[in-house]
Amino acid sequence: GSQTRTRSGSGCTSTSETQSCGTAACPVCNNWASWSSCSVTCGGGSQTRTRSGSGCTSTSETQSCGTAACPVCNNWASWSSCSVTCGGGSQTRTR
């Protein structure tokens, strides 16, 4: 931009002058980078993304991810009674 000032009087060789102003570079905020990998695959984690620049109000963001419940495998139940008393049988157990 520019700014001008003036003056008056019969002895003036010039009555106005102009100078440049607002020459500083305008602030720039760059685009967000991609989200990072989630910290977990289930049970609740987080991921972040960043950006750079002098005009940014924030340079990092965090969001929740991996919020699905984790699979649960319960403990084994007790063994069943043996199918035979001798000669080789089988037992089972469940969870």
Side-chain angles (χ1 to χ4, degrees):
S2 63
Q3 52 190 180
T4 303
R5 66 180 181 176
T6 60
R7 64 180 175 180
S8 60
S10 61
C12 299
T13 55
S14 69
T15 57
S16 69
E17 57 183 12
T18 302
Q19 70 177 8
S20 297
C21 63
T23 57
C26 293
V28 174
C29 189
N30 297 314
N31 291 332
W32 288 106
S34 298
W35 287 104
S36 66
S37 297
C38 189
S39 58
V40 297
T41 56
C42 63
S46 63
Q47 60 187 165
T48 58
R49 66 180 182 172
T50 59
R51 64 181 174 181
S52 60
S54 60
C56 300
T57 56
S58 66
T59 56
S60 69
E61 284 185 330
T62 302
Q63 73 176 6
S64 297
C65 61
T67 56
C70 292
V72 175
C73 187
N74 296 323
N75 292 331
W76 286 104
S78 297
W79 285 103
S80 67
S81 298
C82 190
S83 61
V84 295
T85 56
C86 62
S90 64
Q91 293 177 291
T92 59
R93 65 180 180 170
T94 60
R95 45 173 155 192

